[in-house]
Amino acid sequence: SSGINAEYGQLDLMVQINKTSPSELLKIMKLNVKKSNRTLDKTTKYLLQTIDLCQCMNEDIPLFEDVFDVLENLPKLTQEEINWILKLYRKVIRKSRWFIKFN
């Protein structure tokens, strides 16, 4: 299976192309979220679920942290979205080599 979702075909293609360096895609996503200054939309949420965030964290911790700072500061987050972001962050931290190294 190619892992291509019909609704998100272009996004999936971008994720596949950037598989070896997902941080580049994360940078673009962060800039778009920052520029639009909106709530957590379904495209951003999909990318956060699809990009290998553990690899991003291992490649570039400041970028990883900055992305979550941007998300945390979105002005119109619901409590459900805040919880989702927190769970995602904790899941990535637990899977990362940094967490494993220090625990």
Side-chain angles (χ1 to χ4, degrees), residues 2-94:
S2 66
I4 302 290
N5 177 317
E7 186 179 355
Y8 297 102
Q10 287 183 314
L11 292 176
D12 281 337
L13 188 58
M14 289 171 57
V15 170
Q16 293 297 325
I17 290 169
N18 288 286
K19 209 163 189 72
T20 57
S21 185
S23 295
E24 292 306 311
L25 195 52
L26 201 60
K27 283 179 193 171
I28 294 166
M29 189 207 73
K30 182 193 84 171
L31 290 172
N32 286 336
V33 170
K34 210 171 186 175
K35 187 173 68 176
S36 66
N37 197 27
R38 59 179 182 256
T39 190
L40 190 63
D41 66 14
K42 69 180 190 170
T43 301
T44 301
K45 202 169 178 180
Y46 182 78
L47 280 172
L48 288 168
Q49 291 172 312
T50 310
I51 294 172
D52 185 346
L53 293 175
C54 284
Q55 185 177 343
C56 292
M57 183 185 174
N58 292 334
E59 285 177 7
D60 191 343
I61 288 179
L63 171 66
F64 176 81
E65 287 294 329
D66 195 29
V67 165
F68 279 90
D69 287 344
V70 168
L71 292 171
E72 179 185 24
N73 290 306
L74 287 171
K76 297 178 181 173
L77 289 177
T78 64
Q79 188 60 50
E80 186 179 324
E81 290 169 330
I82 292 167
N83 292 344
W84 185 86
I85 291 167
L86 178 62
K87 284 179 186 170
L88 179 64
Y89 182 84
R90 290 181 59 158
K91 177 181 155 191
V92 175
I93 294 293
R94 286 184 182 132

